[in-house]
Amino acid sequence: MGQLLEAIADPANLAFAWGKVRANAGAAGVDGQSIAAFESDAEHQLGALRSKLLSAERYVPPPVRRVEIPKPDGRTRPLGIPTVADRVVQQATVQVIGRLFESRFLPCSFGYRSGRGARQAVWWVREAIRQGDRWVAEFDIVGFFDNLRHPRLLREVSKVVDDPEVVGLVRRWLVAGVLTDEGLVPRKTGTPQGGVISPLLANIYLHRLDVEVRAAGFRLIRYADDFVILADRRWKVEAADRLVRRILADIGLEVAEDKSGIARTRDLTFRRSRDPFSVISAASLRRVRRH
């Protein structure tokens, strides 16, 4: 039994994870168990999770429950809701392995990290503009959470997590499947939005992008799969745009053209939304992107 799995299954770690899950509330998963139901028998529930994690049969995550969340444009966004118990195990895992990755992540990454967030990301964009950056390349990724390649993600996890049992646990989360109205749908790519561990996996997957873009000398500011690159000359953001597209293609992702483009920073407007950075007007993008 590896030390990291032992740390995940530690009673104090599981209890702390349960406290986080309880505070975040949320709906029941495929088993129908609510936060209140778990809480009424929490000591026994946590003991059972510890036993399953350390069992020779291994802990097997249940599928997530699919719900559709309305978006402002009238479309919906799929959300995968794990069971309460599985959220506890995911949180317990993040508490142990998250710090191993946190020491490797770069300062240009702001999403899903303690002490960082949209406000800080926007501040750095404004600061770059104040210092003289006049051009920006803005990027969004097509179906990011749905298109992560499992083999590549697991390779990146195993570079840092020196415990095959924990890597196997992450693998089982990735392939657990999604329960829809039509039945159980197996998952061959992606990680469900709504999973506690998914934000960490997202940052792990895009860490290569951070490293290579920063190594090339570009000013990158990223919040999950929304990111901008700023520079004082247009040719620089055009070069950055080409580099980003090469990297994303190599890791199985692509730029969402309708939400991405090159513009002058004077065309940026900031708002409160899931995209923490900006809205570059469609007219500005059309005017600048291809000219």
Side-chain angles (χ1 to χ4, degrees), residues 199-258:
L200 174 62
L201 297 180
N203 278 332
I204 292 170
Y205 203 86
L206 288 178
H207 180 61
R208 174 185 163 186
L209 175 77
D210 297 345
V211 170
E212 294 191 15
V213 172
R214 292 294 297 126
F218 296 118
R219 192 197 303 270
L220 167 70
I221 302 171
R222 180 175 66 80
Y223 189 97
D225 60 326
D226 296 309
F227 55 99
V228 294
I229 297 175
L230 300 106
D232 58 349
R233 296 289 187 273
R234 174 172 171 161
W235 68 266
K236 293 180 181 179
V237 293
E238 289 175 337
D241 181 85
R242 292 191 294 271
L243 175 61
V244 165
R245 290 169 186 273
R246 287 199 299 271
I247 296 169
L248 292 182
D250 195 48
I251 62 177
L253 300 171
E254 61 179 306
V255 171
E257 298 293 352
D258 60 334

Side-chain angles (χ1 to χ4, degrees), residues 30-102:
V30 295
D31 61 356
Q33 186 181 52
S34 65
I35 291 285
F38 190 100
E39 185 172 24
S40 68
D41 192 27
E43 185 175 352
H44 176 265
Q45 297 274 1
L46 294 176
L49 288 178
R50 172 174 167 79
S51 297
K52 289 177 182 178
L53 283 166
L54 300 180
S55 166
E57 283 87 32
R58 300 173 177 174
Y59 172 79
V60 179
V64 298
R65 180 169 67 87
R66 168 71 58 83
V67 297
E68 299 290 338
I69 305 299
K71 297 173 69 172
D73 60 7
R75 295 181 297 172
T76 60
R77 176 169 60 93
L79 195 68
I81 302 179
T83 65
V84 174
D86 194 49
R87 297 206 292 271
V88 172
V89 179
Q90 289 190 36
Q91 178 63 42
T93 302
V94 168
Q95 288 166 185
V96 171
I97 70 172
R99 61 178 179 267
L100 303 178
F101 290 98
E102 184 61 32

Side-chain angles (χ1 to χ4, degrees), residues 3 68 72 82 92 111 137 145 191 206 246 291:
Q3 291 184 341
E68 299 290 338
F145 281 92
T191 180
L206 288 178
R246 287 199 299 271
H291 294 88

Side-chain angles (χ1 to χ4, degrees), residues 38-203:
F38 190 100
E39 185 172 24
S40 68
D41 192 27
E43 185 175 352
H44 176 265
Q45 297 274 1
L46 294 176
L49 288 178
R50 172 174 167 79
S51 297
K52 289 177 182 178
L53 283 166
L54 300 180
S55 166
E57 283 87 32
R58 300 173 177 174
Y59 172 79
V60 179
V64 298
R65 180 169 67 87
R66 168 71 58 83
V67 297
E68 299 290 338
I69 305 299
K71 297 173 69 172
D73 60 7
R75 295 181 297 172
T76 60
R77 176 169 60 93
L79 195 68
I81 302 179
T83 65
V84 174
D86 194 49
R87 297 206 292 271
V88 172
V89 179
Q90 289 190 36
Q91 178 63 42
T93 302
V94 168
Q95 288 166 185
V96 171
I97 70 172
R99 61 178 179 267
L100 303 178
F101 290 98
E102 184 61 32
S103 64
R104 298 165 62 90
F105 291 155
L106 300 186
C108 61
S109 169
F110 290 87
Y112 314 128
R113 299 179 64 188
S114 178
R116 293 170 169 267
R119 182 176 298 180
Q120 290 86 351
V122 169
W123 187 92
W124 280 107
V125 173
R126 293 182 182 275
E127 181 65 12
I129 295 171
R130 190 189 68 79
Q131 292 179 13
D133 284 349
R134 295 294 175 259
W135 289 89
V136 57
E138 184 177 21
F139 301 91
D140 190 271
I141 298 174
V142 175
F144 173 65
F145 281 92
D146 293 331
N147 291 305
L148 305 185
R149 293 179 176 177
H150 292 172
R152 180 184 182 274
L153 179 53
L154 290 168
R155 283 196 302 272
E156 295 303 311
V157 171
S158 62
K159 288 177 183 178
V160 178
V161 175
D162 187 21
D163 189 330
E165 292 288 342
V166 177
V167 176
L169 179 58
V170 173
R171 179 185 295 109
R172 293 194 292 279
W173 271 315
L174 292 175
V175 300
V178 180
L179 188 64
T180 68
D181 292 339
E182 289 72 37
L184 182 63
V185 179
R187 191 169 58 233
K188 297 182 179 179
T189 61
T191 180
Q193 294 189 62
V196 177
I197 201 169
S198 294
L200 174 62
L201 297 180
N203 278 332

